[in-house]
Amino acid sequence: MAAIVSPQFVSPQPVDLAIVRKFLALTEGSFGVTDAQGNPLFRVKDRLLHIHDYRVILDVNENPVMTLRKKLMTMHSRWQVFRGDSTEDKDLLFTVKETSMVQLKAKLDVFLAHNKDEKVCDYKVRGSFFERSCMVYAGETSNIVAQMHKKMTAESILLDKTRFNVTVYPNIDYAFITAIMVILDEINRDV
Protein backbone atom coordinates (compact mmCIF):
# COMPACT_ATOMS: atom_id res chain seq x y z
CA MET A 1 0.00 0.00 0.00
CA ALA A 2 1.19 3.50 -0.74
CA ALA A 3 1.50 5.92 2.14
CA ILE A 4 -1.38 8.36 2.47
CA VAL A 5 0.29 10.81 4.85
CA SER A 6 3.97 9.78 4.64
CA PRO A 7 6.04 6.60 4.14
CA GLN A 8 7.56 7.17 7.61
CA PHE A 9 4.18 6.19 9.10
CA VAL A 10 3.95 2.83 7.31
CA SER A 11 5.34 -0.27 9.02
CA PRO A 12 5.71 -3.81 7.68
CA GLN A 13 4.57 -5.00 11.14
CA PRO A 14 1.24 -4.36 12.93
CA VAL A 15 1.30 -1.15 14.98
CA ASP A 16 -0.61 -0.95 18.26
CA LEU A 17 -1.64 2.58 19.20
CA ALA A 18 -3.11 4.05 22.34
CA ILE A 19 -5.09 7.20 21.62
CA VAL A 20 -6.06 9.07 24.77
CA ARG A 21 -8.57 11.91 24.75
CA LYS A 22 -7.99 14.41 27.53
CA PHE A 23 -11.08 16.42 28.39
CA LEU A 24 -9.46 19.18 30.42
CA ALA A 25 -6.22 19.66 28.49
CA LEU A 26 -5.92 23.16 27.11
CA THR A 27 -2.15 23.39 26.85
CA GLU A 28 -0.93 19.95 25.83
CA GLY A 29 -3.69 19.13 23.35
CA SER A 30 -6.92 17.18 23.33
CA PHE A 31 -5.41 13.80 22.34
CA GLY A 32 -2.14 12.03 22.93
CA VAL A 33 -1.06 9.08 20.77
CA THR A 34 1.56 6.53 21.84
CA ASP A 35 2.77 3.17 20.61
CA ALA A 36 2.31 -0.03 22.64
CA GLN A 37 5.46 0.73 24.66
CA GLY A 38 4.18 4.17 25.65
CA ASN A 39 6.47 6.11 23.32
CA PRO A 40 4.78 9.32 22.11
CA LEU A 41 3.93 9.44 18.40
CA PHE A 42 1.47 12.31 17.96
CA ARG A 43 -0.38 15.00 19.83
CA VAL A 44 -3.65 16.51 18.63
CA LYS A 45 -4.04 20.19 19.30
CA ASP A 46 -7.34 22.04 19.09
CA ARG A 47 -7.41 25.38 17.31
CA LEU A 48 -9.20 27.59 19.78
CA LEU A 49 -10.94 30.86 18.96
CA HIS A 50 -11.22 30.11 15.27
CA ILE A 51 -14.27 30.28 13.00
CA HIS A 52 -13.75 26.71 11.74
CA ASP A 53 -13.73 23.59 13.89
CA TYR A 54 -10.33 22.05 13.32
CA ARG A 55 -7.47 20.13 14.91
CA VAL A 56 -3.78 19.83 14.10
CA ILE A 57 -1.92 16.55 14.54
CA LEU A 58 1.68 17.19 15.60
CA ASP A 59 4.57 14.73 15.59
CA VAL A 60 6.92 14.26 18.57
CA ASN A 61 8.98 17.26 17.42
CA GLU A 62 5.86 19.49 17.35
CA ASN A 63 5.83 19.58 13.54
CA PRO A 64 2.34 19.69 12.00
CA VAL A 65 1.60 16.39 10.25
CA MET A 66 -2.07 16.96 9.35
CA THR A 67 -4.85 19.48 9.82
CA LEU A 68 -8.37 18.11 10.35
CA ARG A 69 -11.10 20.61 9.49
CA LYS A 70 -14.82 20.10 9.94
CA LYS A 71 -16.80 21.39 7.01
CA LEU A 72 -19.60 23.70 7.96
CA MET A 73 -23.06 23.67 6.39
CA THR A 74 -23.16 20.06 5.15
CA MET A 75 -25.99 17.55 5.46
CA HIS A 76 -23.67 14.80 6.71
CA SER A 77 -20.87 15.43 9.15
CA ARG A 78 -17.82 15.90 6.91
CA TRP A 79 -14.18 16.45 7.76
CA GLN A 80 -11.32 17.30 5.41
CA VAL A 81 -7.73 16.33 6.22
CA PHE A 82 -4.82 18.34 4.81
CA ARG A 83 -1.05 17.88 4.79
CA GLY A 84 0.83 19.78 7.50
CA ASP A 85 -0.88 22.90 8.81
CA SER A 86 -2.45 23.77 5.46
CA THR A 87 -6.14 24.00 4.61
CA GLU A 88 -5.62 24.60 0.89
CA ASP A 89 -7.21 22.29 -1.69
CA LYS A 90 -3.81 21.43 -3.17
CA ASP A 91 -2.82 19.88 0.20
CA LEU A 92 -5.99 17.80 0.70
CA LEU A 93 -5.14 14.22 1.68
CA PHE A 94 -8.61 12.76 2.24
CA THR A 95 -12.19 13.45 3.29
CA VAL A 96 -14.24 11.60 5.91
CA LYS A 97 -18.03 11.75 5.97
CA GLU A 98 -20.91 10.03 7.70
CA THR A 99 -22.81 7.74 5.35
CA SER A 100 -26.19 9.01 6.57
CA MET A 101 -27.54 11.84 8.71
CA VAL A 102 -29.00 9.51 11.37
CA GLN A 103 -26.78 6.69 12.57
CA LEU A 104 -27.01 4.20 15.38
CA LYS A 105 -23.71 2.59 14.49
CA ALA A 106 -20.45 4.10 13.24
CA LYS A 107 -20.59 4.36 9.46
CA LEU A 108 -18.00 6.62 7.88
CA ASP A 109 -16.75 6.70 4.32
CA VAL A 110 -13.23 7.88 3.54
CA PHE A 111 -12.32 9.32 0.14
CA LEU A 112 -8.71 9.97 -0.85
CA ALA A 113 -7.99 13.34 -2.45
CA HIS A 114 -7.87 11.97 -6.02
CA ASN A 115 -11.36 10.40 -5.61
CA LYS A 116 -13.25 13.59 -6.43
CA ASP A 117 -16.58 12.04 -7.54
CA GLU A 118 -16.90 10.09 -4.24
CA LYS A 119 -19.07 7.37 -5.78
CA VAL A 120 -17.10 4.54 -4.16
CA CYS A 121 -15.20 5.04 -0.92
CA ASP A 122 -11.51 4.22 -0.62
CA TYR A 123 -11.92 3.15 3.03
CA LYS A 124 -14.88 2.69 5.32
CA VAL A 125 -15.38 2.59 9.08
CA ARG A 126 -18.05 0.28 10.47
CA GLY A 127 -18.96 -0.77 13.98
CA SER A 128 -20.44 0.61 17.15
CA PHE A 129 -18.79 3.56 18.79
CA PHE A 130 -20.97 3.11 21.88
CA GLU A 131 -20.01 -0.58 22.15
CA ARG A 132 -16.40 0.61 21.91
CA SER A 133 -15.50 -1.32 18.78
CA CYS A 134 -15.13 -0.58 15.09
CA MET A 135 -13.16 -1.70 12.05
CA VAL A 136 -11.58 0.19 9.17
CA TYR A 137 -11.91 -1.61 5.84
CA ALA A 138 -10.21 -1.10 2.48
CA GLY A 139 -12.88 0.26 0.14
CA GLU A 140 -16.03 -1.78 -0.31
CA THR A 141 -14.25 -5.00 0.70
CA SER A 142 -14.15 -7.03 3.88
CA ASN A 143 -10.36 -6.51 4.16
CA ILE A 144 -9.70 -5.04 7.61
CA VAL A 145 -6.84 -2.52 7.78
CA ALA A 146 -7.32 -1.40 11.42
CA GLN A 147 -9.53 -2.07 14.40
CA MET A 148 -10.34 0.03 17.44
CA HIS A 149 -11.41 -0.94 20.94
CA LYS A 150 -12.28 1.76 23.43
CA LYS A 151 -10.99 1.00 26.91
CA MET A 152 -12.63 2.38 30.05
CA THR A 153 -10.64 2.11 33.28
CA ALA A 154 -10.95 3.56 36.77
CA GLU A 155 -8.00 5.81 35.92
CA SER A 156 -9.69 7.08 32.76
CA ILE A 157 -12.84 7.98 34.70
CA LEU A 158 -10.97 9.62 37.60
CA LEU A 159 -8.56 11.53 35.35
CA ASP A 160 -11.25 12.49 32.83
CA LYS A 161 -9.64 10.61 29.91
CA THR A 162 -10.90 8.22 27.25
CA ARG A 163 -8.53 5.62 25.77
CA PHE A 164 -8.79 3.95 22.39
CA ASN A 165 -6.63 0.93 21.62
CA VAL A 166 -6.09 0.67 17.89
CA THR A 167 -4.32 -2.06 15.97
CA VAL A 168 -3.13 -0.90 12.57
CA TYR A 169 -2.40 -3.77 10.20
CA PRO A 170 0.93 -4.10 8.35
CA ASN A 171 1.67 -1.66 5.51
CA ILE A 172 -1.13 0.72 6.54
CA ASP A 173 -0.36 4.37 7.29
CA TYR A 174 -0.88 4.71 11.05
CA ALA A 175 -1.01 8.54 10.90
CA PHE A 176 -3.95 8.16 8.50
CA ILE A 177 -5.70 5.75 10.89
CA THR A 178 -5.01 8.10 13.82
CA ALA A 179 -6.77 10.95 11.98
CA ILE A 180 -9.80 8.71 11.24
CA MET A 181 -10.08 7.70 14.92
CA VAL A 182 -9.89 11.32 16.10
CA ILE A 183 -12.60 12.30 13.59
CA LEU A 184 -14.76 9.34 14.66
CA ASP A 185 -14.50 10.49 18.26
CA GLU A 186 -15.34 14.09 17.31
CA ILE A 187 -18.40 13.03 15.31
CA ASN A 188 -19.67 10.84 18.13
CA ARG A 189 -19.16 13.58 20.70
CA ASP A 190 -21.44 15.80 18.61
CA VAL A 191 -24.29 13.26 18.87
Side-chain angles (χ1 to χ4, degrees):
M1 173 189 161
I4 295 168
V5 178
S6 173
Q8 78 186 64
F9 303 123
V10 177
S11 170
Q13 304 299 320
V15 176
D16 290 318
L17 304 174
I19 303 173
V20 179
R21 179 169 29 104
K22 305 167 193 170
F23 291 95
L24 302 173
L26 293 176
T27 56
E28 73 247 17
S30 56
F31 290 89
V33 182
T34 63
D35 64 14
Q37 292 74 38
N39 300 312
L41 298 173
F42 304 110
R43 181 171 70 89
V44 182
K45 187 174 179 182
D46 297 336
R47 291 290 179 134
L48 301 174
L49 304 173
H50 196 272
I51 192 165
H52 291 286
D53 191 6
Y54 70 99
R55 317 281 179 270
V56 177
I57 296 180
L58 305 168
D59 68 12
V60 293
N61 297 314
E62 297 293 308
N63 297 313
V65 176
M66 292 174 281
T67 297
L68 290 59
R69 183 177 70 179
K70 183 178 182 179
K71 282 203 76 161
L72 303 175
M73 312 281 268
T74 61
M75 291 186 63
H76 305 283
S77 187
R78 178 184 284 266
W79 288 73
Q80 293 176 305
V81 179
F82 300 89
R83 185 174 311 285
D85 61 357
S86 174
T87 56
E88 296 183 27
D89 287 343
K90 68 178 180 68
D91 294 317
L92 181 68
L93 294 169
F94 59 94
T95 300
V96 178
K97 75 172 195 171
E98 288 181 301
T99 57
S100 63
M101 291 188 309
V102 178
Q103 298 191 123
L104 299 175
K105 297 207 176 255
K107 290 185 181 180
L108 303 177
D109 290 337
V110 180
F111 303 95
L112 299 180
H114 67 271
N115 185 353
K116 300 215 184 293
D117 63 2
E118 296 185 354
K119 290 184 180 176
V120 177
C121 65
D122 297 292
Y123 294 87
K124 64 184 177 186
V125 179
R126 300 293 186 264
S128 174
F129 187 80
F130 297 108
E131 291 174 13
R132 318 296 195 239
S133 176
C134 71
M135 307 286 186
V136 180
Y137 298 92
E140 293 297 328
T141 70
S142 60
N143 296 334
I144 299 170
V145 299
Q147 57 184 22
M148 178 270 286
H149 300 282
K150 191 171 179 182
K151 186 173 184 178
M152 296 297 285
T153 63
E155 176 191 23
S156 68
I157 294 167
L158 291 172
L159 297 178
D160 205 16
K161 296 180 178 180
T162 300
R163 179 184 175 110
F164 305 89
N165 291 326
V166 180
T167 300
V168 182
Y169 287 38
N171 302 313
I172 302 298
D173 190 321
Y174 61 86
F176 166 68
I177 298 298
T178 297
I180 291 173
M181 293 298 131
V182 169
I183 291 168
L184 177 64
D185 181 70
E186 293 293 337
I187 288 172
N188 283 288
R189 286 194 325 163
D190 289 343
V191 174

